[in-house]
Structure formats: C-alpha cells, structure tokens
Amino acid sequence: HGIRKRINIDMEDLYKEIKITPQRTPKPPVKQKAYRGFSTINPENSSFQLFDIGLIKQDLINHFQIRQGEKLSDPTFGCIIWDAMYEPLTPILRDAITRNVTNIVNYDPRVRASGVNVSEFESGLQVECTLTYLDYNISEQLRIQFDKDIGIL
C-alpha cells in the first residue's frame, strides 16, 4: 500500500513538471498596404485615405495638374498640355506631348507608360496610354481629357 501511495505522489509531481502548450496555428500574413496617402479631391469617398494603386493614380493626376514652369525649384517639371491646348496639334507638338506624358508617368518609380497616344477632342486634348504598376505587375489603360474650360476629366 505504501509503494502505491509513493508512486501516486511521484506521478503527481511528474504531472506538475510537465507543461503542455497547445499547438498554435500561425496567423495568415496580413496584406500590407505598400503605399499610403490621402486625398481630399473626391467628395464621394467615405475616407480621405488612399492606398496603393489608387494613390499612384492620384499622384499622377496631381502631376498632370501642374503646368510646366509653375514649380519654382524645377521649371522643367510639369505638364505642357495646358499651354498646348490652344495650338494646332501638329506632328511636332504631338511628339512633344507624347514625350512629356511619358516623362511624367515614368517620373514616378512605381509606374511605367507605354503606347502613349495624343488626340484632339471637342474642347481640348485627350491622352491615352498603358500604365504598368511595377510592384503589382498590373497594366491598365489610362485616358485623361484636358478640357480648355473644365480642366482634367
């Protein structure tokens, strides 16, 4: 009887020393937003926050809004379309706008432009090109209309 009691006491001590930790499953990786910013431009947004591709698009639109020569520290920065809208769209002007649009898009290291096409529309100029978002390996068509009276559409 004494041996059985001593074995039970030893077993109790043994169980106290053993620690069982439940096996935890690792949490799935959180999708990090690579780019974060804000914009107060679109009143339909429920939040001013912009992320990733939406932020890249807004940054490009902001760059297109700046007329070349408006930035004090860099007079070559900006878009020439605002001054070119009132000129006839000659092949030389079309090439200059195409180069300018390509430079504006490629200025942002997150995106590349290809297949830039410049054409006239009712009251301004229209630019179409293929944008490739480098970090996401996604391409899409960009169409911006520069209206003489309204601005960017």
Side-chain angles (χ1 to χ4, degrees):
H1 208 11
I3 295 176
R4 193 182 280 169
K5 187 175 183 182
R6 195 177 81 188
I7 291 175
N8 285 341
I9 290 174
D10 290 343
M11 294 297 265
E12 286 176 16
D13 290 339
L14 183 63
Y15 281 122
K16 288 178 185 176
E17 291 178 19
I18 296 175
K19 295 190 183 199
I20 300 175
T21 56
Q23 189 175 24
R24 295 184 183 174
T25 57
K27 292 181 181 179
V30 177
K31 291 186 177 181
Q32 294 290 328
K33 293 179 170 85
Y35 305 108
R36 298 176 184 159
F38 71 96
S39 174
T40 58
I41 302 288
N42 190 351
E44 296 175 10
N45 287 345
S46 60
S47 169
F48 293 134
Q49 295 179 339
L50 286 176
F51 300 99
D52 300 331
I53 292 177
L55 180 64
I56 295 169
K57 288 178 186 179
Q58 186 61 53
D59 288 345
L60 286 174
I61 290 171
N62 292 345
H63 195 149
F64 280 114
Q65 293 277 13
I66 299 171
R67 289 177 188 251
Q68 193 172 47
E70 284 184 334
K71 189 173 179 183
L72 294 176
S73 62
D74 186 0
T76 62
F77 184 90
C79 184
I80 65 170
I81 295 175
W82 300 109
D83 297 320
M85 282 196 293
Y86 299 98
E87 302 294 327
L89 190 58
T90 63
I92 294 171
L93 182 58
R94 186 184 310 264
D95 289 342
I97 293 172
T98 300
R99 281 192 311 275
N100 183 246
V101 168
T102 303
N103 290 338
I104 288 172
V105 174
N106 292 346
Y107 182 82
D108 191 324
R110 303 170 291 184
V111 66
R112 285 291 165 256
S114 62
V116 178
N117 184 25
V118 179
S119 60
E120 292 179 293
F121 85 105
E122 298 155 6
S123 59
L125 295 174
Q126 176 174 289
V127 173
E128 294 178 275
C129 71
T130 301
L131 293 180
T132 302
Y133 302 98
L134 300 176
D135 292 343
Y136 305 99
N137 200 21
I138 295 174
S139 293
E140 70 177 358
Q141 285 298 117
L142 169 72
R143 181 185 307 143
I144 300 179
Q145 293 179 333
F146 295 85
D147 190 278
K148 293 176 184 176
D149 300 320
I150 300 172
I152 289 183
L153 302 174

